Amino acid sequence: MNSNEVQKLLESSIPNSTVIAEGEGCNFQVSVVSTAFEGLSTVKRQQLVYSHLQEAISSGAIHAVTMKTLTPDQDKAKN
């Protein structure tokens, strides 16, 4: 799996999301901004992202994921 595939997978799975995925091999860093995260704790946000990557993790296509999960308002405040 490459970073473009990870990006497309998450953007198609998480509503109203913008994803930046980087990495190679089976280790990736993802930044996900979505309205789907509003009202969720950091752990729940990460669980949501992992739920969409579970098949790739189980198959070994993805071994490790480091992630940032933000709502659009948090992303706007950060920038």
Side-chain angles (χ1 to χ4, degrees):
M1 192 161 226
N2 64 45
S3 58
N4 287 334
E5 291 171 318
V6 172
Q7 178 182 350
K8 288 177 186 177
L9 171 66
L10 291 175
E11 285 182 339
S12 67
S13 301
I14 300 173
N16 304 312
S17 64
T18 302
V19 178
I20 298 172
E22 298 175 328
E24 52 188 61
C26 55
N27 297 311
F28 296 94
Q29 301 81 42
V30 296
S31 175
V32 184
V33 178
S34 176
T35 55
F37 297 143
E38 292 176 4
L40 297 180
S41 68
T42 302
V43 171
K44 292 289 184 191
R45 293 174 184 193
Q46 291 174 348
Q47 288 173 337
L48 177 65
V49 174
Y50 277 125
S51 72
H52 298 293
L53 297 174
Q54 189 58 47
E55 188 176 315
I57 293 169
S58 294
S59 74
I62 295 177
H63 174 70
V65 179
T66 304
M67 69 180 79
K68 293 180 186 173
T69 56
L70 302 169
T71 65
D73 288 341
Q74 290 172 323
D75 185 51
K76 202 177 289 184
K78 183 184 87 171
N79 295 323

